[in-house]
Amino acid sequence: VPEEFDSTFWEERYRGRAAARAGKPNPQLVTEIGDLPPGTALDAGCGEGADAIWLASRGWQVTAADISITALRNAREQADELGSDVTDRITWMEIDLTDRAPDEERFDLVSTHYVHPVGSRDALFRRLAAAVAPGGTLLVVGHDPSDRSTGHSDTPGVHFTAQEAAALLDPGRWEVAVAETRTRNATGHGGREVTLRDSVLRARRRP
Ligand SMILES: C[S@@+](CC[C@H](N)C(=O)[O-])C[C@H]1O[C@@H](n2cnc3c(N)ncnc32)[C@H](O)[C@@H]1O
């Protein structure tokens, strides 16, 4: 991932546009996590908070972490509009996840979607995996290499397969439930409807 994808890039991106209106949760999150009983969750690279808000509204106690203070501010404003049931369940955390991660073995769910770190993505994923409690779930969603053909994710270095992410997990400690390419409908550049291709990894840390 290019060096320019640093905190300044994300700050400028979020400052330069209107805050997202009550964004929808990611469909891969809804599919993969919808049936899990709520517990503690880390949304790593939460952006403007749609996934964190969805998790909190389903009873999860969420730590929503991002490098961009503007994204966090926008996210918090949206959560506040939904009342204390949601907002009391979310802790917003400004953090560079390439530097450090929240505590090890702490979360029942660690979920990360389209975080393109400057530096080693593998190191970031390993750190996030370490934050999952025994018996907990890791959900990693990103741009599959086949998504390049949609023209939506054209930045070099942001693509990886679910199998590549799964290969980072020690099979003695992890049970991989899903490692595949999934589609997702979205509004692309110019407002046209596009079908995007995500890599989706869901794994359970053995108790
Ligand atoms: C493409 S956005 C995805 C946001 C959200 N997960 C979603 O699916 O809509 C990537 C997010 O990762 C955050 N991010 C990038 N590098 C980061 C880092 N090193 N530590 C924490 N957050 C980071 C950015 O600020 C941005 O909000």
Side-chain angles (χ1 to χ4, degrees), residues 35-69:
D35 289 339
L36 279 188
T40 53
L42 169 66
D43 182 1
C46 64
E48 289 174 311
D51 294 343
I53 289 170
W54 180 79
L55 286 165
S57 67
R58 297 180 68 87
W60 290 82
Q61 199 68 44
V62 185
T63 299
D66 203 280
I67 203 169
S68 164
I69 192 76

PDB file of all heavy atoms in Angstrom, residues 35-69:
ATOM      1  N   ASP A  35     -25.709 -14.125  13.420  1.00  0.00           N
ATOM      2  CA  ASP A  35     -26.225 -15.176  14.304  1.00  0.00           C
ATOM      3  C   ASP A  35     -25.415 -15.355  15.590  1.00  0.00           C
ATOM      4  O   ASP A  35     -25.757 -16.187  16.430  1.00  0.00           O
ATOM      5  CB  ASP A  35     -26.247 -16.527  13.563  1.00  0.00           C
ATOM      6  CG  ASP A  35     -27.330 -16.534  12.497  1.00  0.00           C
ATOM      7  OD1 ASP A  35     -28.266 -15.717  12.607  1.00  0.00           O
ATOM      8  OD2 ASP A  35     -27.216 -17.331  11.546  1.00  0.00           O
ATOM      9  N   LEU A  36     -24.331 -14.602  15.733  1.00  0.00           N
ATOM     10  CA  LEU A  36     -23.506 -14.785  16.942  1.00  0.00           C
ATOM     11  C   LEU A  36     -24.139 -14.085  18.146  1.00  0.00           C
ATOM     12  O   LEU A  36     -24.662 -12.969  18.003  1.00  0.00           O
ATOM     13  CB  LEU A  36     -22.118 -14.166  16.745  1.00  0.00           C
ATOM     14  CG  LEU A  36     -21.053 -14.941  15.979  1.00  0.00           C
ATOM     15  CD1 LEU A  36     -19.718 -14.194  16.093  1.00  0.00           C
ATOM     16  CD2 LEU A  36     -20.916 -16.344  16.505  1.00  0.00           C
ATOM     17  N   PRO A  37     -24.085 -14.680  19.318  1.00  0.00           N
ATOM     18  CA  PRO A  37     -24.569 -13.961  20.503  1.00  0.00           C
ATOM     19  C   PRO A  37     -23.652 -12.794  20.806  1.00  0.00           C
ATOM     20  O   PRO A  37     -22.438 -12.889  20.613  1.00  0.00           O
ATOM     21  CB  PRO A  37     -24.494 -15.016  21.615  1.00  0.00           C
ATOM     22  CG  PRO A  37     -23.502 -16.010  21.141  1.00  0.00           C
ATOM     23  CD  PRO A  37     -23.524 -15.995  19.628  1.00  0.00           C
ATOM     24  N   PRO A  38     -24.193 -11.657  21.256  1.00  0.00           N
ATOM     25  CA  PRO A  38     -23.332 -10.490  21.489  1.00  0.00           C
ATOM     26  C   PRO A  38     -22.356 -10.687  22.641  1.00  0.00           C
ATOM     27  O   PRO A  38     -22.625 -11.443  23.571  1.00  0.00           O
ATOM     28  CB  PRO A  38     -24.325  -9.372  21.805  1.00  0.00           C
ATOM     29  CG  PRO A  38     -25.633 -10.010  22.045  1.00  0.00           C
ATOM     30  CD  PRO A  38     -25.604 -11.394  21.480  1.00  0.00           C
ATOM     31  N   GLY A  39     -21.238 -10.009  22.534  1.00  0.00           N
ATOM     32  CA  GLY A  39     -20.213 -10.011  23.575  1.00  0.00           C
ATOM     33  C   GLY A  39     -19.404  -8.747  23.397  1.00  0.00           C
ATOM     34  O   GLY A  39     -19.963  -7.691  23.087  1.00  0.00           O
ATOM     35  N   THR A  40     -18.086  -8.871  23.524  1.00  0.00           N
ATOM     36  CA  THR A  40     -17.227  -7.711  23.302  1.00  0.00           C
ATOM     37  C   THR A  40     -16.663  -7.761  21.887  1.00  0.00           C
ATOM     38  O   THR A  40     -16.298  -8.835  21.402  1.00  0.00           O
ATOM     39  CB  THR A  40     -16.055  -7.695  24.302  1.00  0.00           C
ATOM     40  OG1 THR A  40     -15.397  -8.967  24.229  1.00  0.00           O
ATOM     41  CG2 THR A  40     -16.523  -7.444  25.706  1.00  0.00           C
ATOM     42  N   ALA A  41     -16.609  -6.592  21.229  1.00  0.00           N
ATOM     43  CA  ALA A  41     -16.137  -6.561  19.837  1.00  0.00           C
ATOM     44  C   ALA A  41     -15.159  -5.419  19.631  1.00  0.00           C
ATOM     45  O   ALA A  41     -15.302  -4.348  20.225  1.00  0.00           O
ATOM     46  CB  ALA A  41     -17.318  -6.390  18.881  1.00  0.00           C
ATOM     47  N   LEU A  42     -14.181  -5.660  18.772  1.00  0.00           N
ATOM     48  CA  LEU A  42     -13.287  -4.607  18.286  1.00  0.00           C
ATOM     49  C   LEU A  42     -13.561  -4.424  16.796  1.00  0.00           C
ATOM     50  O   LEU A  42     -13.462  -5.389  16.029  1.00  0.00           O
ATOM     51  CB  LEU A  42     -11.821  -5.017  18.492  1.00  0.00           C
ATOM     52  CG  LEU A  42     -10.771  -4.135  17.795  1.00  0.00           C
ATOM     53  CD1 LEU A  42     -10.759  -2.725  18.376  1.00  0.00           C
ATOM     54  CD2 LEU A  42      -9.371  -4.774  17.916  1.00  0.00           C
ATOM     55  N   ASP A  43     -13.937  -3.205  16.404  1.00  0.00           N
ATOM     56  CA  ASP A  43     -14.046  -2.870  14.978  1.00  0.00           C
ATOM     57  C   ASP A  43     -12.787  -2.095  14.634  1.00  0.00           C
ATOM     58  O   ASP A  43     -12.633  -0.929  15.005  1.00  0.00           O
ATOM     59  CB  ASP A  43     -15.318  -2.042  14.718  1.00  0.00           C
ATOM     60  CG  ASP A  43     -15.497  -1.718  13.232  1.00  0.00           C
ATOM     61  OD1 ASP A  43     -14.657  -2.143  12.419  1.00  0.00           O
ATOM     62  OD2 ASP A  43     -16.478  -1.029  12.898  1.00  0.00           O
ATOM     63  N   ALA A  44     -11.861  -2.752  13.960  1.00  0.00           N
ATOM     64  CA  ALA A  44     -10.528  -2.188  13.707  1.00  0.00           C
ATOM     65  C   ALA A  44     -10.516  -1.443  12.387  1.00  0.00           C
ATOM     66  O   ALA A  44     -10.659  -2.054  11.332  1.00  0.00           O
ATOM     67  CB  ALA A  44      -9.495  -3.309  13.698  1.00  0.00           C
ATOM     68  N   GLY A  45     -10.362  -0.112  12.444  1.00  0.00           N
ATOM     69  CA  GLY A  45     -10.482   0.725  11.251  1.00  0.00           C
ATOM     70  C   GLY A  45     -11.947   0.958  10.974  1.00  0.00           C
ATOM     71  O   GLY A  45     -12.460   0.677   9.896  1.00  0.00           O
ATOM     72  N   CYS A  46     -12.629   1.523  11.963  1.00  0.00           N
ATOM     73  CA  CYS A  46     -14.115   1.581  11.934  1.00  0.00           C
ATOM     74  C   CYS A  46     -14.651   2.653  10.998  1.00  0.00           C
ATOM     75  O   CYS A  46     -15.850   2.660  10.697  1.00  0.00           O
ATOM     76  CB  CYS A  46     -14.654   1.819  13.337  1.00  0.00           C
ATOM     77  SG  CYS A  46     -14.159   3.424  14.031  1.00  0.00           S
ATOM     78  N   GLY A  47     -13.789   3.574  10.531  1.00  0.00           N
ATOM     79  CA  GLY A  47     -14.280   4.636   9.652  1.00  0.00           C
ATOM     80  C   GLY A  47     -15.399   5.422  10.315  1.00  0.00           C
ATOM     81  O   GLY A  47     -15.300   5.789  11.495  1.00  0.00           O
ATOM     82  N   GLU A  48     -16.459   5.670   9.581  1.00  0.00           N
ATOM     83  CA  GLU A  48     -17.555   6.488  10.112  1.00  0.00           C
ATOM     84  C   GLU A  48     -18.597   5.668  10.870  1.00  0.00           C
ATOM     85  O   GLU A  48     -19.712   6.139  11.107  1.00  0.00           O
ATOM     86  CB  GLU A  48     -18.165   7.333   8.994  1.00  0.00           C
ATOM     87  CG  GLU A  48     -17.177   8.430   8.606  1.00  0.00           C
ATOM     88  CD  GLU A  48     -17.620   9.250   7.410  1.00  0.00           C
ATOM     89  OE1 GLU A  48     -18.006   8.649   6.391  1.00  0.00           O
ATOM     90  OE2 GLU A  48     -17.582  10.480   7.502  1.00  0.00           O
ATOM     91  N   GLY A  49     -18.232   4.456  11.240  1.00  0.00           N
ATOM     92  CA  GLY A  49     -18.924   3.775  12.324  1.00  0.00           C
ATOM     93  C   GLY A  49     -20.145   2.935  11.993  1.00  0.00           C
ATOM     94  O   GLY A  49     -20.774   2.414  12.928  1.00  0.00           O
ATOM     95  N   ALA A  50     -20.474   2.728  10.723  1.00  0.00           N
ATOM     96  CA  ALA A  50     -21.710   1.987  10.419  1.00  0.00           C
ATOM     97  C   ALA A  50     -21.687   0.580  11.021  1.00  0.00           C
ATOM     98  O   ALA A  50     -22.704   0.117  11.567  1.00  0.00           O
ATOM     99  CB  ALA A  50     -21.918   1.910   8.908  1.00  0.00           C
ATOM    100  N   ASP A  51     -20.549  -0.089  10.934  1.00  0.00           N
ATOM    101  CA  ASP A  51     -20.485  -1.462  11.456  1.00  0.00           C
ATOM    102  C   ASP A  51     -20.526  -1.471  12.982  1.00  0.00           C
ATOM    103  O   ASP A  51     -21.207  -2.307  13.592  1.00  0.00           O
ATOM    104  CB  ASP A  51     -19.212  -2.157  10.964  1.00  0.00           C
ATOM    105  CG  ASP A  51     -19.216  -2.375   9.458  1.00  0.00           C
ATOM    106  OD1 ASP A  51     -20.301  -2.289   8.844  1.00  0.00           O
ATOM    107  OD2 ASP A  51     -18.128  -2.622   8.896  1.00  0.00           O
ATOM    108  N   ALA A  52     -19.786  -0.541  13.581  1.00  0.00           N
ATOM    109  CA  ALA A  52     -19.775  -0.472  15.053  1.00  0.00           C
ATOM    110  C   ALA A  52     -21.170  -0.181  15.589  1.00  0.00           C
ATOM    111  O   ALA A  52     -21.621  -0.770  16.580  1.00  0.00           O
ATOM    112  CB  ALA A  52     -18.786   0.612  15.509  1.00  0.00           C
ATOM    113  N   ILE A  53     -21.871   0.725  14.910  1.00  0.00           N
ATOM    114  CA  ILE A  53     -23.225   1.090  15.348  1.00  0.00           C
ATOM    115  C   ILE A  53     -24.169  -0.107  15.192  1.00  0.00           C
ATOM    116  O   ILE A  53     -24.980  -0.396  16.074  1.00  0.00           O
ATOM    117  CB  ILE A  53     -23.725   2.320  14.554  1.00  0.00           C
ATOM    118  CG1 ILE A  53     -22.946   3.565  15.008  1.00  0.00           C
ATOM    119  CG2 ILE A  53     -25.227   2.513  14.706  1.00  0.00           C
ATOM    120  CD1 ILE A  53     -23.169   4.806  14.147  1.00  0.00           C
ATOM    121  N   TRP A  54     -24.020  -0.830  14.099  1.00  0.00           N
ATOM    122  CA  TRP A  54     -24.871  -2.014  13.891  1.00  0.00           C
ATOM    123  C   TRP A  54     -24.613  -3.052  14.993  1.00  0.00           C
ATOM    124  O   TRP A  54     -25.551  -3.612  15.565  1.00  0.00           O
ATOM    125  CB  TRP A  54     -24.590  -2.608  12.498  1.00  0.00           C
ATOM    126  CG  TRP A  54     -25.425  -3.822  12.196  1.00  0.00           C
ATOM    127  CD1 TRP A  54     -26.731  -3.839  11.790  1.00  0.00           C
ATOM    128  CD2 TRP A  54     -25.008  -5.185  12.286  1.00  0.00           C
ATOM    129  NE1 TRP A  54     -27.146  -5.146  11.613  1.00  0.00           N
ATOM    130  CE2 TRP A  54     -26.105  -5.987  11.906  1.00  0.00           C
ATOM    131  CE3 TRP A  54     -23.808  -5.816  12.633  1.00  0.00           C
ATOM    132  CZ2 TRP A  54     -26.050  -7.376  11.880  1.00  0.00           C
ATOM    133  CZ3 TRP A  54     -23.749  -7.205  12.604  1.00  0.00           C
ATOM    134  CH2 TRP A  54     -24.860  -7.967  12.231  1.00  0.00           C
ATOM    135  N   LEU A  55     -23.333  -3.281  15.279  1.00  0.00           N
ATOM    136  CA  LEU A  55     -23.003  -4.257  16.335  1.00  0.00           C
ATOM    137  C   LEU A  55     -23.585  -3.810  17.683  1.00  0.00           C
ATOM    138  O   LEU A  55     -24.212  -4.601  18.399  1.00  0.00           O
ATOM    139  CB  LEU A  55     -21.482  -4.419  16.449  1.00  0.00           C
ATOM    140  CG  LEU A  55     -20.803  -5.216  15.322  1.00  0.00           C
ATOM    141  CD1 LEU A  55     -19.293  -5.004  15.341  1.00  0.00           C
ATOM    142  CD2 LEU A  55     -21.135  -6.712  15.433  1.00  0.00           C
ATOM    143  N   ALA A  56     -23.407  -2.528  18.008  1.00  0.00           N
ATOM    144  CA  ALA A  56     -23.906  -2.028  19.297  1.00  0.00           C
ATOM    145  C   ALA A  56     -25.425  -2.135  19.360  1.00  0.00           C
ATOM    146  O   ALA A  56     -25.986  -2.480  20.407  1.00  0.00           O
ATOM    147  CB  ALA A  56     -23.456  -0.577  19.504  1.00  0.00           C
ATOM    148  N   SER A  57     -26.088  -1.884  18.246  1.00  0.00           N
ATOM    149  CA  SER A  57     -27.551  -1.947  18.263  1.00  0.00           C
ATOM    150  C   SER A  57     -28.031  -3.385  18.424  1.00  0.00           C
ATOM    151  O   SER A  57     -29.186  -3.630  18.764  1.00  0.00           O
ATOM    152  CB  SER A  57     -28.141  -1.312  16.998  1.00  0.00           C
ATOM    153  OG  SER A  57     -27.805  -2.104  15.892  1.00  0.00           O
ATOM    154  N   ARG A  58     -27.132  -4.349  18.216  1.00  0.00           N
ATOM    155  CA  ARG A  58     -27.483  -5.760  18.445  1.00  0.00           C
ATOM    156  C   ARG A  58     -26.974  -6.258  19.794  1.00  0.00           C
ATOM    157  O   ARG A  58     -26.964  -7.462  20.051  1.00  0.00           O
ATOM    158  CB  ARG A  58     -26.915  -6.615  17.319  1.00  0.00           C
ATOM    159  CG  ARG A  58     -27.535  -6.245  15.974  1.00  0.00           C
ATOM    160  CD  ARG A  58     -26.972  -7.079  14.859  1.00  0.00           C
ATOM    161  NE  ARG A  58     -27.368  -8.475  14.952  1.00  0.00           N
ATOM    162  CZ  ARG A  58     -28.490  -8.969  14.436  1.00  0.00           C
ATOM    163  NH1 ARG A  58     -29.311  -8.192  13.788  1.00  0.00           N
ATOM    164  NH2 ARG A  58     -28.776 -10.246  14.559  1.00  0.00           N
ATOM    165  N   GLY A  59     -26.487  -5.335  20.610  1.00  0.00           N
ATOM    166  CA  GLY A  59     -26.118  -5.710  21.981  1.00  0.00           C
ATOM    167  C   GLY A  59     -24.642  -5.911  22.227  1.00  0.00           C
ATOM    168  O   GLY A  59     -24.240  -6.212  23.346  1.00  0.00           O
ATOM    169  N   TRP A  60     -23.814  -5.763  21.176  1.00  0.00           N
ATOM    170  CA  TRP A  60     -22.370  -5.919  21.390  1.00  0.00           C
ATOM    171  C   TRP A  60     -21.821  -4.693  22.123  1.00  0.00           C
ATOM    172  O   TRP A  60     -22.286  -3.572  21.927  1.00  0.00           O
ATOM    173  CB  TRP A  60     -21.643  -6.052  20.046  1.00  0.00           C
ATOM    174  CG  TRP A  60     -21.902  -7.349  19.330  1.00  0.00           C
ATOM    175  CD1 TRP A  60     -22.989  -7.644  18.555  1.00  0.00           C
ATOM    176  CD2 TRP A  60     -21.074  -8.512  19.324  1.00  0.00           C
ATOM    177  NE1 TRP A  60     -22.878  -8.920  18.065  1.00  0.00           N
ATOM    178  CE2 TRP A  60     -21.712  -9.481  18.512  1.00  0.00           C
ATOM    179  CE3 TRP A  60     -19.849  -8.840  19.912  1.00  0.00           C
ATOM    180  CZ2 TRP A  60     -21.171 -10.744  18.289  1.00  0.00           C
ATOM    181  CZ3 TRP A  60     -19.306 -10.091  19.678  1.00  0.00           C
ATOM    182  CH2 TRP A  60     -19.962 -11.033  18.884  1.00  0.00           C
ATOM    183  N   GLN A  61     -20.801  -4.940  22.955  1.00  0.00           N
ATOM    184  CA  GLN A  61     -20.055  -3.874  23.605  1.00  0.00           C
ATOM    185  C   GLN A  61     -18.834  -3.622  22.733  1.00  0.00           C
ATOM    186  O   GLN A  61     -17.949  -4.483  22.652  1.00  0.00           O
ATOM    187  CB  GLN A  61     -19.631  -4.364  25.009  1.00  0.00           C
ATOM    188  CG  GLN A  61     -19.250  -3.288  25.968  1.00  0.00           C
ATOM    189  CD  GLN A  61     -20.436  -2.424  26.369  1.00  0.00           C
ATOM    190  OE1 GLN A  61     -21.509  -2.945  26.641  1.00  0.00           O
ATOM    191  NE2 GLN A  61     -20.235  -1.117  26.407  1.00  0.00           N
ATOM    192  N   VAL A  62     -18.810  -2.490  22.031  1.00  0.00           N
ATOM    193  CA  VAL A  62     -17.871  -2.321  20.919  1.00  0.00           C
ATOM    194  C   VAL A  62     -16.755  -1.328  21.239  1.00  0.00           C
ATOM    195  O   VAL A  62     -17.016  -0.234  21.756  1.00  0.00           O
ATOM    196  CB  VAL A  62     -18.624  -1.795  19.664  1.00  0.00           C
ATOM    197  CG1 VAL A  62     -17.688  -1.737  18.455  1.00  0.00           C
ATOM    198  CG2 VAL A  62     -19.832  -2.672  19.350  1.00  0.00           C
ATOM    199  N   THR A  63     -15.535  -1.706  20.921  1.00  0.00           N
ATOM    200  CA  THR A  63     -14.439  -0.742  20.845  1.00  0.00           C
ATOM    201  C   THR A  63     -14.244  -0.441  19.362  1.00  0.00           C
ATOM    202  O   THR A  63     -13.940  -1.353  18.581  1.00  0.00           O
ATOM    203  CB  THR A  63     -13.142  -1.322  21.446  1.00  0.00           C
ATOM    204  OG1 THR A  63     -13.379  -1.633  22.821  1.00  0.00           O
ATOM    205  CG2 THR A  63     -11.992  -0.326  21.341  1.00  0.00           C
ATOM    206  N   ALA A  64     -14.487   0.812  18.986  1.00  0.00           N
ATOM    207  CA  ALA A  64     -14.417   1.200  17.576  1.00  0.00           C
ATOM    208  C   ALA A  64     -13.158   2.032  17.398  1.00  0.00           C
ATOM    209  O   ALA A  64     -13.048   3.138  17.940  1.00  0.00           O
ATOM    210  CB  ALA A  64     -15.665   1.994  17.191  1.00  0.00           C
ATOM    211  N   ALA A  65     -12.191   1.501  16.652  1.00  0.00           N
ATOM    212  CA  ALA A  65     -10.850   2.083  16.611  1.00  0.00           C
ATOM    213  C   ALA A  65     -10.515   2.562  15.213  1.00  0.00           C
ATOM    214  O   ALA A  65     -10.779   1.871  14.222  1.00  0.00           O
ATOM    215  CB  ALA A  65      -9.829   1.029  17.055  1.00  0.00           C
ATOM    216  N   ASP A  66      -9.924   3.738  15.141  1.00  0.00           N
ATOM    217  CA  ASP A  66      -9.521   4.262  13.826  1.00  0.00           C
ATOM    218  C   ASP A  66      -8.394   5.270  14.022  1.00  0.00           C
ATOM    219  O   ASP A  66      -8.247   5.863  15.091  1.00  0.00           O
ATOM    220  CB  ASP A  66     -10.701   4.941  13.121  1.00  0.00           C
ATOM    221  CG  ASP A  66     -10.512   4.983  11.602  1.00  0.00           C
ATOM    222  OD1 ASP A  66      -9.767   5.863  11.117  1.00  0.00           O
ATOM    223  OD2 ASP A  66     -11.098   4.128  10.897  1.00  0.00           O
ATOM    224  N   ILE A  67      -7.640   5.477  12.931  1.00  0.00           N
ATOM    225  CA  ILE A  67      -6.532   6.431  12.969  1.00  0.00           C
ATOM    226  C   ILE A  67      -7.027   7.855  12.738  1.00  0.00           C
ATOM    227  O   ILE A  67      -6.321   8.816  13.049  1.00  0.00           O
ATOM    228  CB  ILE A  67      -5.482   6.032  11.903  1.00  0.00           C
ATOM    229  CG1 ILE A  67      -4.100   6.582  12.244  1.00  0.00           C
ATOM    230  CG2 ILE A  67      -5.898   6.455  10.505  1.00  0.00           C
ATOM    231  CD1 ILE A  67      -2.996   6.003  11.371  1.00  0.00           C
ATOM    232  N   SER A  68      -8.243   8.012  12.196  1.00  0.00           N
ATOM    233  CA  SER A  68      -8.739   9.345  11.813  1.00  0.00           C
ATOM    234  C   SER A  68      -9.689   9.910  12.864  1.00  0.00           C
ATOM    235  O   SER A  68     -10.776   9.367  13.096  1.00  0.00           O
ATOM    236  CB  SER A  68      -9.462   9.269  10.467  1.00  0.00           C
ATOM    237  OG  SER A  68     -10.235  10.437  10.274  1.00  0.00           O
ATOM    238  N   ILE A  69      -9.283  11.014  13.448  1.00  0.00           N
ATOM    239  CA  ILE A  69     -10.105  11.652  14.473  1.00  0.00           C
ATOM    240  C   ILE A  69     -11.408  12.187  13.867  1.00  0.00           C
ATOM    241  O   ILE A  69     -12.461  12.179  14.496  1.00  0.00           O
ATOM    242  CB  ILE A  69      -9.299  12.764  15.193  1.00  0.00           C
ATOM    243  CG1 ILE A  69     -10.008  13.262  16.449  1.00  0.00           C
ATOM    244  CG2 ILE A  69      -8.958  13.913  14.293  1.00  0.00           C
ATOM    245  CD1 ILE A  69      -9.907  12.324  17.593  1.00  0.00           C
TER     246      ILE A  69
END
